[in-house]
């Protein structure tokens, strides 16, 4: 799919103001409401826009411990471990990476007791994991919620 300047501007606006109405987007872009709706639908159908979502402050909803994990797996177990972790509601994100660790994962939990429970009962219980290293977030300086074009 070819993305033109209008699509880029539309995506930029939606990245910052995802709840903006078609009417307001149309005014901002100098298009009709129908043209904006068609562009958004086309971007969704092409997979450029994967979904619309809300960003929730994890601390405000009781998930005050944020931990990052580097997980090494046996090559034959990588996909099953990653798919299993991706289904876990405590796992905010899980990526296959290059470098010394094969999976990089972000976990959000209520407290350190829940973190210990996750590690011992859910992470270590998975077959095929050969090494786990964890890092606890102390302070966030920047968090990105979408792609800036």
């Amino acid at each position: 799919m070819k993305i033109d300047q209008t699509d880029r501007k539309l995506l930029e606006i939606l990245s910052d103001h995802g709840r903006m109405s078609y009417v307001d987007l149309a005014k901002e872009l100098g298009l009709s409401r129908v043209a904006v709706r068609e562009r958004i639908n086309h971007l969704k159908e092409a997979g450029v826009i994967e979904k619309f979502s809300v960003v929730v402050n994890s601390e405000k909803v009781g998930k005050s411990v944020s931990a990052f994990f580097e997980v090494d797996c046996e090559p034959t177990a990588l996909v099953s471990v990653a798919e299993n972790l991706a289904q876990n509601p405590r796992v905010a994100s899980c990526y296959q990476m290059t470098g010394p660790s094969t999976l990089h994962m972000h976990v959000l939990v209520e407290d350190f007791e829940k973190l210990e429970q996750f590690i011992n009962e859910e992470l270590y219980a998975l077959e095929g994991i050969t090494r786990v290293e964890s890092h606890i977030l102390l302070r966030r300086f920047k968090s990105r919620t979408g792609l800036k074009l």
Side-chain angles (χ1 to χ4, degrees):
M1 174 182 174
K2 195 93 164 157
I3 305 286
D4 63 16
Q5 282 304 110
T6 303
D7 288 334
R8 287 184 183 280
K9 181 69 176 167
L10 175 59
L11 291 168
E12 182 180 315
I13 294 168
L14 286 173
S15 291
D16 291 333
H17 309 286
R19 291 188 53 164
M20 188 178 274
S21 71
Y22 289 147
V23 171
D24 291 337
L25 285 166
K27 288 177 188 173
E28 185 83 20
L29 295 169
L31 299 173
S32 71
R33 178 190 57 77
V34 172
V36 167
R37 187 188 70 221
E38 288 175 358
R39 281 183 178 264
I40 289 173
N41 287 339
H42 187 67
L43 291 166
K44 286 172 23 184
E45 290 167 8
V48 175
I49 296 175
E50 292 182 357
K51 68 178 182 174
F52 291 91
S53 65
V54 63
V55 177
V56 176
N57 181 322
S58 58
E59 291 180 18
K60 301 280 186 188
V61 294
K63 308 278 185 179
S64 59
V65 176
S66 180
F68 294 86
F69 291 86
E70 296 171 8
V71 180
D72 285 338
C73 302
E74 295 171 4
T76 56
L78 175 68
V79 173
S80 65
V81 168
E83 288 175 347
N84 189 303
L85 291 170
Q87 296 302 313
N88 190 306
R90 295 178 176 173
V91 176
S93 60
C94 184
Y95 303 98
Q96 181 179 3
M97 305 292 285
T98 61
S101 294
T102 50
L103 294 176
H104 183 78
M105 181 174 57
H106 182 203
V107 172
L108 296 165
V109 292
E110 294 85 349
D111 53 38
F112 288 104
E113 183 179 321
K114 295 287 189 202
L115 181 62
E116 180 183 11
Q117 181 183 19
F118 169 79
I119 292 169
N120 291 330
E121 297 175 13
E122 299 177 62
L123 186 57
Y124 290 163
L126 295 175
E127 294 213 17
I129 292 178
T130 58
R131 185 186 71 84
V132 174
E133 186 174 321
S134 62
H135 307 273
I136 306 297
L137 177 71
L138 297 177
R139 181 169 55 167
R140 176 177 46 201
F141 291 100
K142 180 180 180 179
S143 181
R144 185 177 61 82
T145 59
L147 176 66
K148 292 292 185 186
L149 299 178

